[in-house]
Amino acid sequence: MKKLMLVIGLMGLSATVSAKSLSSAEFKSQVKQHYDALELKQAALNVSVDRREHPAIMIAKTCEYSKGLKQLKHFSEQNLHLAEAKDELQFVHLLDTSFNQSLIDLGTTYEMGCLKR
C-alpha cells in the first residue's frame, strides 16, 4: 500500500511538472512513470480478483486503475505540441475504451461505484 501511495504522489508531481512545455525526452520519461504506476494498479487489481476479495475492494482497485488511465490521457492532452503525445493519447484512449468494454462484456461496470467514492 505504501508503494501505491508513493506512486500516486509521483503522479501528482508529474502533473504539476507538466504545466511547463516539456521536451520529447521529458514527456517520454513521465509517460514511463505513468505506466509504471498503472502496472502496479493493474497488479493490485489482478491480485484482488484472484483472491476473490469483496466486490467493494475490487471496485476500488478498478477505479484506481481507470483513474490512472484518465490521468495519462489528460497528461497527453496537455502535451499535444509533441508528436509522441498525439500517439500516446490515441493509444491510451484505446486502452481505456478496451478496459471499459471488457467489463461491459462481463456484464458489469465499475463507474457507478467510482462515482460513489
Side-chain angles (χ1 to χ4, degrees), residues 75-83 85-86 89:
F75 176 70
S76 296
E77 288 168 348
Q78 289 178 323
N79 291 283
L80 286 177
H81 63 281
L82 299 170
K86 292 174 187 169
L89 181 59

Side-chain angles (χ1 to χ4, degrees), residues 38-108:
L38 281 169
E39 187 176 350
L40 289 174
K41 290 175 185 183
Q42 185 178 29
L45 175 59
N46 290 342
V47 167
S48 180
V49 170
D50 289 345
R51 290 182 181 169
R52 297 180 183 187
E53 293 180 329
H54 191 276
I57 294 170
M58 288 189 271
I59 289 171
K61 291 180 181 183
T62 301
C63 293
E64 285 299 314
Y65 180 74
S66 177
K67 182 179 173 183
L69 286 173
K70 287 174 183 20
Q71 287 172 336
L72 181 53
K73 279 172 61 174
H74 180 69
F75 176 70
S76 296
E77 288 168 348
Q78 289 178 323
N79 291 283
L80 286 177
H81 63 281
L82 299 170
E84 296 92 344
K86 292 174 187 169
D87 293 340
E88 191 60 44
L89 181 59
Q90 288 178 338
F91 180 71
V92 77
H93 177 74
L94 180 63
L95 281 178
D96 190 35
T97 302
S98 297
F99 180 67
N100 290 331
Q101 186 61 49
S102 67
L103 292 170
I104 290 169
D105 291 346
L106 291 172
T108 187

Side-chain angles (χ1 to χ4, degrees), residues 22-40:
L22 297 179
S23 70
S24 179
E26 291 170 322
F27 177 77
K28 288 177 183 178
S29 173
Q30 289 189 31
V31 165
K32 183 183 179 327
Q33 290 176 0
H34 279 277
Y35 278 114
D36 290 346
L38 281 169
E39 187 176 350
L40 289 174

